[in-house]
């Protein structure tokens, strides 16, 4: 069952960069990630039909690739960060 999405305002430092090797010190985000029925995505602040369609298409592609076992740079929409 799908529920209405929510927004966690302090998300920005955890998205758009690969932080998979770091400990998350945000209690709210850590708690949300502990639930098996929660999907966490970065905030999408666009509200046009075209933007929403593109976001939905990209999200579905990401889910399908992840489901097929693709990870990291092999993902079509991979985001990388070099330190």
């Amino acid at each position: 069952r799908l529920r209405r999405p929510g927004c966690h305002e302090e998300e920005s430092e955890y998205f758009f960069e690969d932080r998979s090797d770091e400990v998350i010190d945000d209690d709210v985000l850590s708690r949300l990630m502990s639930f098996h029925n929660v999907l966490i995505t970065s905030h999408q602040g666009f509200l046009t039909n075209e933007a929403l369609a593109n976001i939905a298409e990209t999200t579905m592609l990401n889910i399908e690739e992840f489901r097929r076992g693709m990870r990291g740079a092999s993902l079509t929409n991979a985001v990388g960060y070099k330190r």
Side-chain angles (χ1 to χ4, degrees), residues 4-77:
R4 190 173 162 212
C7 183
H8 175 50
E9 298 296 328
E10 305 300 321
E11 68 181 26
S12 61
E13 81 175 86
Y14 295 103
F15 292 94
F16 308 114
E17 296 178 8
D18 181 4
R19 297 190 178 271
S20 57
D21 62 339
E22 298 177 17
V23 174
I24 294 175
D25 61 359
D26 182 307
D27 293 337
V28 173
L29 189 56
S30 294
R31 179 146 170 81
L32 287 170
M33 291 175 64
S34 73
F35 296 110
H36 75 280
N37 61 341
V38 172
L39 175 66
I40 304 224
T41 64
S42 59
H43 177 71
Q44 303 296 331
F46 312 93
L47 196 53
T48 65
N49 287 336
E50 180 181 4
L52 292 174
N54 289 339
I55 291 166
E57 183 178 324
T58 299
T59 300
M60 294 306 294
L61 176 61
N62 292 343
I63 291 169
E64 178 58 26
E65 288 181 348
F66 188 85
R67 188 190 67 76
R68 286 188 274 143
M70 296 171 68
R71 302 291 187 273
S74 68
L75 293 166
T76 301
N77 297 299

